[in-house]
Amino acid sequence: MKQFTSIKIKDKPKEHFDNLDHGTEITVMPTQPQKDHNGYTYHMSGKDFYTEPTIKYVRSMGFIEKSSSSDFELTIKIIRADANGYWGFSNVNLEVNLNDENGNEVFSQNNISGKGRSLITTKHFGLDKAYTKALKNVDWNRIASLLKDSEQSQAEQIKNNEKIDNALVVKPKETQSAKLNETQLEQINILWDIKSKPDDADVFCRVVSEIPEVQNSSNKYLSATPYETSKTLNINGLTSQNAENVSIIIRCEKEGYISQEKEFDIPTILEQEEISTFFRLVKE
């Protein structure tokens, strides 16, 4: 439990909203769990370290304070934030409410979830990643539309409807970069550069997925280190929409040495067009 002293939001928000008529007061509300942990599962929803990074994240999208008499109140409630130290994954659930300047609720969104996984304990068992994904799943566009005067909101709604009507000819929304366009996913060559010390260690690869569209795989032998090649990922079911829920585990083994694994998330791989890593093996 001692390592859980902060939360790191891993990605910047994709959205940014200008010319909002109403400002936003932001409240981050932890929820105290009944127990600190059940077995290997630690309940982190009651921690006080969510407030500062969450407010910074929301403010970066353009939700700023303007006037105490006209600002809306946005409340982000942390219903669940569980980290499992045995399997190395986390689950987060949020609720969001927006009240107008008179205290009337104008928007609510429940069951906002995010999942994260990490094989390295110093990464909070994926709690950072899970919390980031949950924040991404908030309907920020809807919240922004409610912070505009009705005449402006109607114009914005018409604009959004035109986008929906033209959905068949509009390019898919980018998740990380243009390289994640669905028509290009299978054409991206990835540079694999895996080295170890000492050399001649066996390299394995497996797919880890949090969604049913992409299946988890068992370890597949690639070659011995140094391993250098260029090839596509070729992962069945992988799309631009679900890429952030899929990762690749590289495993390095050599007789007489402790096996090691490293995790690489798909969006980063596609952005950099490479999987490059070095294993410094330790004798058993």
Side-chain angles (χ1 to χ4, degrees):
M1 292 289 286
K2 292 181 179 179
Q3 70 171 292
F4 290 97
T5 58
S6 64
I7 191 80
K8 181 179 180 181
I9 298 176
K10 299 182 72 63
D11 299 318
K12 294 181 180 179
K14 302 181 183 70
E15 301 91 345
H16 190 273
F17 306 97
D18 298 314
N19 303 319
L20 299 177
D21 296 302
H22 296 272
T24 313
E25 295 181 7
I26 304 169
T27 301
V28 180
M29 187 182 299
T31 302
Q32 292 297 330
Q34 293 182 349
K35 296 180 179 180
D36 285 338
H37 67 93
N38 290 322
Y40 290 102
T41 301
Y42 293 84
H43 307 296
M44 317 301 294
S45 60
K47 297 295 182 180
D48 60 2
F49 49 60
Y50 299 96
T51 299
E52 182 177 350
T54 303
I55 291 178
K56 183 178 180 181
Y57 180 90
V58 178
R59 293 277 186 242
S60 69
M61 287 186 284
F63 299 106
I64 60 175
E65 293 184 358
K66 292 188 175 183
S67 171
S68 58
S69 61
S70 63
D71 284 358
F72 283 28
E73 182 178 3
L74 177 68
T75 302
I76 301 173
K77 189 175 183 180
I78 303 166
I79 303 299
R80 176 191 183 196
D82 291 347
N84 185 291
Y86 185 83
W87 295 107
F89 65 82
S90 294
N91 290 280
V92 170
N93 288 92
L94 306 177
E95 288 183 4
V96 170
N97 295 90
L98 183 68
N99 291 352
D100 64 17
E101 69 270 36
N102 298 315
N104 301 314
E105 184 180 285
V106 294
F107 173 79
S108 66
Q109 184 180 357
N110 303 322
N111 299 319
I112 307 167
S113 63
K115 295 181 179 180
R117 188 172 189 271
S118 176
L119 298 176
I120 305 174
T121 57
T122 54
K123 290 188 177 180
H124 293 183
F125 307 114
L127 183 62
D128 296 331
K129 185 183 293 185
Y131 190 70
T132 300
K133 288 182 179 179
L135 286 178
K136 286 182 177 180
N137 289 330
V138 175
D139 192 348
W140 300 112
N141 288 284
R142 176 59 177 160
I143 292 172
S145 70
L146 293 167
L147 294 172
K148 296 179 181 179
D149 289 336
S150 58
E151 182 177 341
Q152 185 176 356
S153 296
Q154 290 175 5
E156 188 69 23
Q157 186 62 47
I158 292 173
K159 184 178 179 181
N160 289 335
N161 288 340
E162 290 176 350
K163 289 182 180 180
I164 293 173
D165 292 338
N166 296 318
L168 292 177
V169 296
V170 174
K171 293 181 180 180
K173 183 178 179 181
E174 296 177 345
T175 57
Q176 291 290 333
S177 71
K179 295 171 186 175
L180 287 181
N181 187 299
E182 286 198 46
T183 60
Q184 300 176 349
L185 274 177
E186 296 181 356
Q187 303 173 15
I188 299 176
N189 280 321
I190 305 300
L191 173 64
W192 299 65
D193 183 10
I194 303 170
K195 296 181 174 66
S196 68
K197 187 175 182 179
D199 288 339
D200 200 32
D202 292 326
V203 178
F204 300 85
C205 170
R206 75 176 188 272
V207 175
V208 177
S209 171
E210 301 169 2
I211 52 173
E213 292 84 359
V214 178
Q215 298 296 317
N216 292 316
S217 71
S218 56
N219 280 319
K220 177 183 177 181
Y221 178 72
L222 298 179
S223 182
T225 58
Y227 176 63
E228 297 180 9
T229 188
S230 179
K231 64 179 181 179
T232 60
L233 290 175
N234 193 25
I235 300 175
N236 291 332
L238 182 67
T239 68
S240 59
Q241 283 73 30
N242 63 30
E244 64 181 13
N245 297 305
V246 183
S247 58
I248 285 179
I249 306 296
I250 302 296
R251 183 177 180 87
C252 192
E253 295 182 357
K254 186 175 178 67
E255 186 175 355
Y257 292 82
I258 299 173
S259 299
Q260 296 183 26
E261 291 187 340
K262 293 185 179 181
E263 182 176 8
F264 302 84
D265 63 272
I266 296 297
T268 301
I269 294 173
L270 294 171
E271 181 72 24
Q272 299 178 353
E273 296 188 3
E274 69 174 0
I275 300 176
S276 179
T277 188
F278 174 78
F279 293 90
R280 188 178 298 277
L281 300 177
V282 178
K283 289 187 177 181
E284 294 180 344

